[in-house]
Amino acid sequence: EEAYDGMRECRRLCRLAPPGIVGCVGLHAGFTLRDDMLRAAGELARELGAVVHTHVAEDALDAAYARERGHRGALLRLLSLGALPAGSALAHGIGLSQAEIAWAARCGLWLVHCPRSNAANGLPYAAVLRQARRVALGSDGHPGAMTRELASARTLGGAIGESPKVALQRLRAGWRLASQRLG
């Protein structure tokens, strides 16, 4: 019931958004949500002309939970349940397969790389996102000091041979993503 209370609150806030602000239906990680909740979130987002923001493949538990329910991966579970309208934003993506990254691109989804959050949670740098086309830099609850995110992405990415330009490209992509939500 608590989850559905949250959905009602999303509906209310999206409808009250001031001109120029486009709301999102916010969810936590898929492994914390039943299938009916994911379907309802997608339906609500489409009804409101909004998108969904959720965590995906932040931890191996997400993919394992999806496979236990007959899906090939965490993202494919969300897609098969209709939970992700085009333009939806997926935080983390550390455990996505190359096939899922390709699906995200075909479906017009954003992936949001959160290097400080990942590091604080003992998670690896999201090297798999190198293959993705629409990757924004995000903070996942850390103070939104994007200069700190940029520095973290450069440092952690550099440690695995990633060019510092990648972090800057992701920062700029984040601005594009934000401008879509802020009209």
Side-chain angles (χ1 to χ4, degrees):
E1 187 55 36
E2 224 177 284
Y4 283 98
D5 285 345
M7 295 292 281
R8 285 186 284 277
E9 184 67 1
C10 283
R11 173 181 277 112
R12 187 183 75 76
L13 291 173
C14 283
R15 287 185 172 157
L16 291 175
I21 304 287
V22 181
C24 297
V25 175
L27 302 173
H28 196 254
F31 68 88
T32 68
L33 299 163
R34 295 185 325 239
D35 288 358
D36 63 310
M37 190 67 214
L38 293 171
R39 281 188 199 96
E43 290 169 10
L44 177 60
R46 283 185 287 282
E47 171 192 325
L48 297 170
V51 299
V52 170
H53 173 272
T54 188
H55 293 207
V56 70
E58 179 179 5
D59 184 277
L61 181 60
D62 201 9
Y65 187 84
R67 282 191 299 276
E68 287 170 10
R69 279 143 191 80
H71 302 278
R72 290 182 296 161
L75 177 62
L76 296 174
R77 175 178 176 237
L78 298 173
L79 290 170
S80 72
L81 295 171
L84 301 173
S88 290
L90 310 170
H92 303 293
I94 296 167
L96 291 175
S97 68
Q98 293 305 312
E100 287 177 301
I101 288 173
W103 272 105
R106 282 192 294 275
C107 295
L109 305 174
W110 282 93
L111 295 164
V112 182
H113 181 211
C114 307
R116 281 194 305 157
S117 173
N118 294 348
N121 288 314
L123 299 169
Y125 185 80
V128 69
L129 297 183
R130 287 180 182 173
Q131 307 305 316
R133 292 186 295 191
R134 291 173 54 158
V135 182
L137 193 59
S139 64
D140 185 35
H142 282 263
M146 295 312 292
T147 54
R148 290 187 62 202
E149 291 298 336
L150 178 64
S152 180
R154 284 181 166 161
T155 300
L156 295 169
I160 62 165
E162 191 171 83
S163 167
K165 292 179 183 177
V166 172
L168 187 56
Q169 290 167 347
R170 291 179 178 172
L171 178 67
R172 289 180 178 144
W175 292 337
R176 287 193 308 276
L177 174 58
S179 71
Q180 289 176 6
R181 306 297 358 127
L182 301 175

